[in-house]
Amino acid sequence: MAASGAGDPLDTRNGKAPFAQRIDPTREKLTPAQLQFMRQVQLAQWQKTLPQRRTRNLVTGLGIGALVLAIYGYTFYSVSQERFLDELEDEAKAARARAMARSAGP
């Protein structure tokens, strides 16, 4: 009788199709042909998922870039140079007024 998963269309005991079993190539002795077939299957699976992965990476990159630009723009908007200088100038005027009041005092 053939080994389970060796290409039998149906398992004769329960009538179900066999499932692929995970194989650890470091523990089990595999022939070079089996290793080559495993590499081909892995490459085919990788190529099949590549467009989805590329699209997800592109969307993620654009999202992160948009977030960075939004933070950068908000920072420039909220901390503009003019308001900063106006606040410093107001504080300087108040300090001068206090100094003049102290020096003109009794």
Side-chain angles (χ1 to χ4, degrees):
M1 179 170 182
S4 177
D8 296 338
L10 289 176
D11 189 359
T12 55
R13 283 180 269 153
N14 56 12
K16 293 183 180 176
F19 287 99
Q21 296 178 353
R22 288 202 176 264
I23 295 175
D24 186 7
T26 58
R27 290 186 188 171
E28 299 184 28
K29 300 293 182 191
L30 299 176
T31 65
Q34 289 173 323
L35 291 172
Q36 178 63 26
F37 179 71
M38 285 176 59
R39 282 189 215 105
Q40 286 177 347
V41 170
Q42 287 174 344
L43 181 63
Q45 289 174 343
W46 184 77
Q47 287 176 343
K48 187 172 90 175
T49 60
L50 184 64
Q52 292 173 340
R53 192 176 313 124
R54 192 172 283 156
T55 301
R56 286 183 192 151
N57 287 346
L58 181 66
V59 169
T60 302
L62 289 174
I64 291 172
L67 181 65
V68 167
L69 288 176
I71 291 171
Y72 190 71
Y74 176 74
T75 302
F76 267 97
Y77 174 74
S78 64
V79 184
S80 65
Q81 189 68 20
E82 291 177 51
R83 276 194 267 161
F84 179 72
L85 290 177
D86 288 344
E87 289 174 7
L88 284 178
E89 191 174 317
D90 291 342
E91 288 179 22
K93 283 181 185 176
R96 277 189 229 121
R98 284 193 301 266
M100 292 294 275
R102 274 191 239 141
S103 65

